[in-house]
Amino acid sequence: MTDVSNSSSVEQENRRIRDLLPSGEKRSRLRRWRGVKDHSARYVIAAFGFSVIIALALIFVYLFSEVMPMLQPASVGEVSQYDSPGGNPAQTVQVASDRHRELAVRFTDDRRAVFYRPMTGEVTREYDLPFPEGVTITARGRAEPRTRLVAYGLDNGQALVTRHTFSETFEEGRRRVEGAIEYPLGDEDTALLDVVEDGTPITQIAVQEGSSGISVVAALADGRLRLVQFETTTSFMTGETTVERKVYDLDQPSDEAEITAILLDITMQNLLVGDSAGRVHYYNVRRPAQARIMDSRRVIPDPDASVASMEYLLGTVSLIVGGTDGSVGQWFLVRDEDNVQRITFVRGFEGHDAPVRVIAPEYARKGFATADEAGRVKVHYSTSHRTVIDTQVADGPIRVMGFAPRANALYTVDENERFRVVPVSNPHPEVSVRALWDRVWYEGRSSDEFVWQSSSATDEFEPKFSLVPLTVGTLKAAFYAMLFATPLAIMGAIYSAYFMAPRMRGMVKPTIEIMEALPTVILGFLAGLWLAPFVENHIPAVFSLVILMPVLMVAFAFLWTRAIPEAIRVRVPPGWEAALLVPVVLLVGWFCVASSPLIEIAFFGGDLRQWLTDVGITYDQRNALVVGVAMGFAVIPTIYSISEDAVFNVPKHLTQGSLALGATPWQTVTKVVLLTASPGIFSAVMIGFGRAVGETMIVLMATGNSPVVNFNIFEGMRTLSANIAVEMPEAAVGGTHFRILFLAALVLFILTFIMNTAAELVRQRLRRKYSSL
C-alpha cells in the first residue's frame, strides 16, 4: 500500500513539473532569444574591445601628430633678389631688418644709412651719417644683435657708434614701421669718438654696450690694441649727460700675425682676438689696467689657414670661428682645474669648400649662418650640433649677411651689390636625437652632460632638452616604489589568501583595497609636508625599521611556536595569529624612532645627514626614499588585490592533494600555489609598475623635481609625467618646448605599452607552462 502511494506521489510531481516546463514552441522561442543574447553579447564585447584598441591608437596618433612637426627638416623658400636699394653703387657694410620683415636698413661705405622694403628694395628714407669729409671706413663691428649697435672704425683713428631703431604705429588697423638712426653717446654733432689721438687707422673694431656705457676695442694699423671705455653719467638734478673717456693699451697678441677679428662679450670683461696665424687670444679685461693675455689657442685645424671670420652667438658666450680652410667650429671659455678660464673647443660643424667670410648669429636662439666665397650658405644650430640648411645663394662671394630678428629670413649681399632675401623655415632646430638622448656640452658647463632646463630668467638662455634625466627619474621613482610595495603586497596577499581566517580576511582585504581610492594628491601632500621632514630627522630609524622589523617579527613567530605553552596557543583561533604581530610592529616602530637620536650620536657624530655629505653622498629632504614609501602605499592596493585573487583562486584540489601527500602548508604554498598563481602575480606586479611609472601628483609634491641622472636613494628626481604637469601650462603652443613635452608623453606612452605588452607575453607563457597542474 505504501509503495502504491509513493508511486502515485512521484507521478503527480512529475506531472506538475511537466506542466511547468514550456511547450515545444515556447522552448524554441527561448532558444532563439538566448541565441540573440549570446550573439549580441559577443558583438558588444568585441566592439568595446576594439574601441579600447582604437582609443589607444588615437592617443598614439594624436601624440605623434604633435611631435611630427619637430621631425620635419628645415627649408628655404623662393629667393627674392634685386640690385642695391636706391641704385646706390656704394658698398654695403651692414644690413638688418625689423621683426616683421617690413623694413630693413643698409649701411654703406659712403656714409649713408638707407631704410628700404626688404622684399622689393623700395627706399623709404635715407640718413647721412656724420663722418668727416675725406675719411674712409676701414673696420666694422657690431654688438650683440639685440642691441642693434654698430661701430665703424675710420682711417683717421676715430670711430662712429650708431644704433638703428624700428618703431611701430597702427593707423586704421594697419601696422606702419618707421626707422631711425640714433647715436648712443651723444647727438649727431658729438657722435664721433676718438679712439687714438695720432690718427692711426683702425683695422679691426669691436663694440659692446653695458649698464654704464659703451666699450670699444680697436686694432690699429701700427699693431697696437686699444680698449676705450665711454662711461655715461646723467645728472639727477639737471638731466645732463656727461661722457667720460678711459683709454687702456693692451698687450699685442703677436708681432708676426695680423689681427683679423675682435670680439667683446656683453659683460665687457672677456675680450677675444683672432689673428692670421689661426689663433684666438683671450684677454680678461675686468680690470683693464691689469688686462693681459690669459690664454691662446689655435682654432683652425689647417696649420696654413687663418681666422677668416669670428662671431659670438646670442649671449656672447659661444664663439663661432670660420677659417680660410672652410672650417667652422664652436669654442667657449671653460674653467680648468686651476680655476683659470681657457678657450676650449666644443664642437665642429659641417664646413665649406671655400673660405668662410661671413658669420651671422640669430637674434633669439643659438643658431647661426655661415657664408663662403663661393656663395654657399649653411645654417647651423649649436646645441643640437646640426647643419639644418645647405644652399647655394649666389654665384660669387657673399660679403654681408644677416638674420631677420625672428630667424625666418636671411639677407645677403654679394660682391656685385646684389641683394637677396632668403626665406627660412626652421622652427625646431633645437631638436635632434643627440640633443634629446646624448650628452651635450652646454654653455657655462665644464663638460658634456645630460641636462633638462627648459627656461631661465634671461633671454640669451640656452634651452636644455635632454629627456634622459626625466626618463631615468621616472624609472628611479618606479623602482623604489616597487622595491617597497612588491614584497609587502605579494607576501600580504599570500598570507591573507592562504593562511588567514576567513573572517579576518573579510576585514583586511576590503580595508587594503579601499586604500586605492585615496587621492594621490593627499599622499603627495603628506609625503612632502610630513613624511619628508620626519625621515630627514630620523634617518637611522628608517634603516633600523628595515633591519629590525622582519628580524623581530620572525623572532616573535619562533618564540610563539617554540616557547609559548600550547595551552595558551590553542586559545588563538587558527588564522588569527597575524593579530598578535600588531603590538610587535608598534613596539618595534616606537623603539626605532626613539633610539634614532642615540644612534646618530653614537655612530655619526650627532648628524647623519652631515655625515652623508662628508662622505660625498648628497641628501635632499624630498628624495627617492620618501617617494618610494609614499608611492609604494599607492601601488600596494593594486598589487595586493590582483595577487590575492590569483592565490585565492588556485583550485582547492591542488592544495588539498598536496597536503594529503604529506606536504606542509609552506611547501604547498611555495611548490604548488605560487607556481599556479604566478601568471596573476606577475600581472599584478606589472600593472603596479605601470601605475608607478604614470604617477604624477606624488612625485610632483614629494621629489623636489630635480632632473638628476642617478639612482641615489637620498636625492630627488623629476619624472616624465610630473614634468609635463609642471611645464605644459607655461609652454608656448606650437613651440619647441611644447612639442618636446608631447614627445615626453609619447615616450611615457610607448614605455608603458612595451612593458605591458612584455608582461602579457610573459603571463601567457607562465599560464601555458603551469596550466597542466
Side-chain angles (χ1 to χ4, degrees):
M1 186 68 179
T2 304
D3 294 339
V4 173
S5 62
N6 288 340
S7 176
S8 175
S9 62
V10 170
E11 279 186 32
Q12 290 176 358
E13 182 65 22
N14 290 338
R15 189 180 302 112
R16 189 179 66 81
I17 293 175
R18 285 196 299 270
D19 292 340
L20 293 175
L21 291 175
S23 62
E25 183 179 352
K26 190 175 181 180
R27 286 198 299 271
S28 178
R29 288 198 306 269
L30 288 175
R31 281 195 298 269
R32 286 196 299 270
W33 176 239
R34 189 181 301 115
V36 170
K37 290 191 291 185
D38 289 344
H39 284 288
S40 299
R42 181 187 307 165
Y43 291 128
V44 168
I45 293 172
F48 279 107
F50 280 113
S51 297
V52 172
I53 296 174
I54 292 172
L56 291 174
L58 289 177
I59 292 173
F60 177 82
V61 169
Y62 173 67
L63 293 176
F64 190 76
S65 68
E66 292 291 350
V67 173
M68 185 63 187
M70 291 195 306
L71 307 180
Q72 296 176 354
S75 61
V76 296
E78 184 177 354
V79 178
S80 301
Q81 53 182 309
Y82 43 83
D83 292 329
S84 58
N88 188 344
Q91 283 195 340
T92 303
V93 295
Q94 171 76 11
V95 291
S97 79
D98 75 309
R99 58 178 179 160
H100 304 293
R101 294 191 296 164
E102 294 184 6
L103 191 66
V105 62
R106 168 201 182 207
F107 293 92
T108 64
D109 63 355
D110 65 348
R111 312 177 186 89
R112 298 184 68 78
V114 181
F115 287 92
Y116 65 98
R117 304 293 179 193
M119 302 308 295
T120 62
E122 175 190 355
V123 175
T124 62
R125 190 172 183 179
E126 295 188 24
Y127 286 85
D128 289 323
L129 301 180
F131 288 107
E133 291 293 334
V135 301
T136 303
I137 298 175
T138 54
R140 178 196 65 85
R142 64 180 177 185
E144 214 261 357
R146 293 172 298 173
T147 65
R148 296 194 176 99
L149 205 65
V150 181
Y152 302 92
L154 309 179
D155 62 358
N156 66 350
Q158 290 183 309
L160 176 68
V161 179
T162 67
R163 175 184 284 112
H164 54 277
T165 63
F166 299 99
S167 59
E168 299 178 12
T169 58
F170 289 86
E171 298 178 0
E172 299 179 354
R174 300 190 54 156
R175 180 176 53 240
R176 181 180 178 185
V177 182
E178 295 183 349
I181 299 298
E182 297 178 352
Y183 304 97
L185 291 178
D187 56 20
E188 188 171 338
D189 297 331
T190 60
L192 285 172
L193 308 176
D194 293 326
V195 176
V196 60
E197 298 80 0
D198 57 10
T200 305
I202 296 174
T203 58
Q204 296 292 336
I205 193 169
V207 63
Q208 204 61 255
E209 184 177 25
S211 59
S212 60
I214 290 177
S215 293
V216 174
V217 182
L220 306 177
D222 58 6
R224 285 181 292 167
L225 185 64
R226 172 165 288 191
L227 167 62
V228 185
Q229 294 180 340
F230 299 91
E231 296 183 356
T232 58
T233 305
T234 303
S235 172
F236 176 75
M237 301 297 295
T238 64
E240 180 182 358
T241 300
T242 58
V243 179
E244 181 182 1
R245 177 174 177 268
K246 298 180 180 179
V247 179
Y248 304 93
D249 286 317
L250 308 179
D251 296 338
Q252 297 182 28
S254 173
D255 294 331
E256 302 175 355
E258 176 186 355
I259 295 176
T260 58
I262 304 175
L263 292 176
L264 184 65
D265 74 350
I266 56 177
T267 66
M268 295 190 289
Q269 297 180 6
N270 300 308
L271 174 65
L272 298 175
V273 178
D275 63 24
S276 58
R279 299 179 69 84
V280 170
H281 310 274
Y282 161 53
Y283 294 76
N284 186 334
V285 293
R286 182 177 182 179
R287 297 182 178 87
Q290 304 172 13
R292 59 188 179 88
I293 297 177
M294 304 296 295
D295 191 28
S296 295
R297 285 284 188 275
R298 179 165 188 84
V299 295
I300 305 299
D302 188 344
D304 298 326
S306 61
V307 176
S309 55
M310 198 169 75
E311 284 286 352
Y312 271 128
L313 293 185
L314 173 71
T316 66
V317 174
S318 288
L319 173 70
I320 303 299
V321 179
T324 55
D325 60 349
S327 62
V328 179
Q330 179 183 359
W331 303 69
F332 52 68
L333 298 175
V334 176
R335 292 190 181 276
D336 62 12
E337 53 202 20
D338 298 323
N339 200 32
V340 177
Q341 288 187 312
R342 304 292 184 186
I343 303 172
T344 305
F345 177 75
V346 179
R347 57 182 66 92
F349 297 90
E350 185 178 310
H352 292 254
D353 296 330
V356 178
R357 291 302 178 188
V358 187
I359 299 174
E362 293 187 18
Y363 282 67
R365 300 184 304 195
K366 301 294 182 177
F368 62 98
T370 54
D372 60 26
E373 289 187 350
R376 195 159 198 85
V377 172
K378 297 185 179 184
V379 179
H380 318 266
Y381 198 82
S382 63
T383 308
S384 58
H385 196 182
R386 295 173 60 200
T387 298
V388 296
I389 291 175
D390 183 357
T391 183
Q392 187 73 32
V393 173
D395 296 329
I398 294 176
R399 295 180 43 259
V400 179
M401 181 172 63
F403 264 108
R406 291 179 174 173
N408 54 2
L410 269 172
Y411 305 108
T412 66
V413 183
D414 64 18
E415 61 179 356
N416 298 319
E417 286 301 304
R418 186 73 175 169
F419 279 62
R420 292 175 176 84
V421 181
V422 184
V424 175
S425 176
N426 185 26
H428 307 292
E430 305 95 332
V431 179
S432 68
V433 174
R434 179 178 299 176
L436 295 175
W437 298 106
D438 199 0
R439 294 179 180 272
V440 177
W441 199 338
Y442 299 102
E443 294 179 349
R445 307 272 175 164
S446 58
S447 62
D448 51 351
E449 300 177 59
F450 298 113
V451 181
W452 174 275
Q453 188 181 0
S454 59
S455 61
S456 179
T458 60
D459 293 334
E460 62 268 16
F461 168 73
E462 180 180 24
K464 304 168 182 65
F465 290 129
S466 176
L467 292 179
V468 173
L470 306 181
T471 306
V472 171
T474 301
L475 297 175
K476 178 180 177 180
F479 171 76
Y480 284 113
M482 297 300 291
L483 189 64
F484 176 81
T486 302
L488 293 179
I490 294 179
M491 293 180 184
I494 294 171
Y495 184 84
S496 63
Y498 193 75
F499 296 102
M500 190 175 286
R503 185 179 174 187
M504 189 176 185
R505 176 177 179 269
M507 293 185 292
V508 171
K509 189 172 189 292
T511 303
I512 296 178
E513 289 177 341
I514 205 171
M515 287 172 53
E516 196 161 13
L518 187 66
T520 55
V521 66
I522 302 299
L523 290 175
F525 179 80
L526 293 174
L529 297 184
W530 172 76
L531 182 60
F534 178 84
V535 170
E536 181 183 23
N537 295 326
H538 300 87
I539 302 175
V542 176
F543 294 96
S544 300
L545 280 169
V546 173
I547 298 172
L548 293 180
M549 187 68 75
V551 171
L552 292 180
M553 289 175 69
V554 171
F556 176 81
F558 179 82
L559 292 175
W560 175 257
T561 57
R562 297 292 186 269
I564 303 299
E566 186 176 357
I568 298 177
R569 284 190 283 119
V570 296
R571 295 181 181 181
V572 179
W576 284 85
E577 295 86 356
L580 300 175
L581 289 173
V582 174
V584 176
V585 171
L586 296 177
L587 184 62
V588 173
W590 171 84
F591 173 78
C592 291
V593 173
S595 61
S596 178
L598 301 177
I599 295 175
E600 283 194 281
I601 294 173
F603 298 101
F604 305 104
D607 190 344
L608 178 55
R609 178 174 180 176
Q610 184 61 46
W611 184 86
L612 291 172
T613 303
D614 293 340
V615 298
I617 300 175
T618 303
Y619 185 94
D620 299 329
Q621 185 188 72
R622 301 187 179 187
N623 51 46
L625 176 60
V626 174
V627 172
V629 173
M631 198 153 66
F633 275 107
V635 172
I636 281 175
T638 301
I639 302 176
Y640 169 84
S641 181
I642 300 174
S643 299
E644 208 271 352
D645 288 340
V647 173
F648 188 78
N649 290 324
V650 171
K652 298 301 180 185
H653 68 271
L654 295 178
T655 57
Q656 292 170 357
S658 175
L659 294 172
L661 291 173
T664 64
W666 181 249
Q667 289 173 329
T668 301
V669 167
T670 57
K671 303 298 184 181
V672 177
V673 175
L674 283 182
L675 295 179
T676 308
S678 59
I681 295 175
F682 184 79
S683 296
V685 172
M686 297 313 298
I687 292 173
F689 180 78
R691 169 84 167 77
V693 167
E695 176 55 44
T696 301
M697 293 310 300
I698 294 176
V699 292
L700 183 64
M701 302 176 72
T703 63
N705 285 305
S706 303
V708 296
V709 185
N710 62 48
F711 270 78
N712 181 2
I713 194 173
F714 298 120
E715 285 191 68
M717 78 288 289
R718 177 178 286 197
T719 66
L720 290 165
S721 57
N723 188 69
I724 294 169
V726 169
E727 300 195 5
M728 185 61 78
E730 66 184 31
V733 176
T736 300
H737 181 202
F738 177 82
R739 299 197 184 281
I740 288 179
L741 291 177
F742 271 92
L743 177 61
L746 184 61
V747 169
L748 186 61
F749 180 85
I750 293 174
L751 178 63
T752 54
F753 181 80
I754 291 175
M755 294 301 298
N756 289 335
T757 302
E760 179 62 18
L761 294 175
V762 174
R763 189 187 72 84
Q764 292 290 352
R765 183 174 180 181
L766 292 173
R767 187 175 182 181
R768 288 193 301 268
K769 182 175 181 180
Y770 298 115
S771 61
S772 59
L773 290 177

